[in-house]
């Protein structure tokens, strides 16, 4: 896995993640989901996502994987060009359960990315981080995994840009 990878996230993805967080069950600390888009030449472009219902316990994670497969299949009918590129979680850090969840996504796609979205707005901003999981160890010894940060950017197509932001930037409205 190349560490010079860049993740580009579209605004609609951020909206969907925040919306899922706001609609979560009262007993849920965080929300997780699947990232959809395309990966090519060191760029992972995330253009869509969906929430995957789950529960985290001290020693395990229960995720509704059947639901995740159904939603992905339905999405493929509408947009066949979007593939699973990784997963997202709300919060500002990688947790103990992240490795288990990442293992599932490693079976769903090659080299999945993990994006965290800090919905607590610490510092007045929504923090975004992206990671890849790399294997560590010595030959013949114990091995493990480590989440390594990678570049993340917000990108948009012209229709995703609001007329208000165009007015503030003094760009002509087309």
């Amino acid at each position: 896995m190349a560490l010079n990878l860049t993740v580009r996230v579209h605004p609609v993805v951020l909206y969907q993640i925040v919306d899922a967080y706001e609609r979560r069950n009262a007993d849920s600390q965080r929300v997780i989901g699947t990232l959809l888009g395309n990966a090519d030449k060191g760029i992972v472009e995330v253009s869509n996502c969906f929430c995957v219902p789950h529960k985290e316990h001290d020693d395990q994670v229960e995720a509704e994987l059947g639901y995740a497969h159904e939603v992905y299949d339905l999405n493929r009918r509408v947009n066949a060009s979007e593939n699973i590129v990784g997963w997202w979680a709300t919060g500002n850090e990688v947790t103990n359960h992240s490795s288990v969840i990442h293992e599932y996504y490693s079976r769903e796609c090659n080299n999945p990315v993990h994006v965290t979205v800090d919905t607590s707005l610490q510092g007045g901003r929504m923090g975004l981080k992206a990671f890849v999981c790399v294997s560590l160890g010595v030959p013949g010894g114990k091995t493990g995994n480590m989440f390594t940060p990678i570049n993340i950017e917000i990108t948009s197509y012209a229709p995703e840009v609001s007329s208000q932001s165009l007015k503030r930037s003094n760009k002509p409205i087309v």
Side-chain angles (χ1 to χ4, degrees), residues 11 156-169 173:
S156 59
Y157 299 128
E160 294 175 310
V161 179
S162 76
S163 61
Q164 291 300 317
S165 64
L166 288 175
K167 286 178 187 175
R168 283 192 299 268
S169 67
I173 299 173

Side-chain angles (χ1 to χ4, degrees), residues 19 26 28 44 48-49 78 107 109 116 126 128 145-146 169 174:
D19 184 58
S28 296
V44 175
N48 201 353
C49 72
V78 175
R107 293 189 302 265
C109 68
T116 60
M126 184 170 46
L128 288 176
N145 294 317
M146 180 176 79
S169 67
V174 181

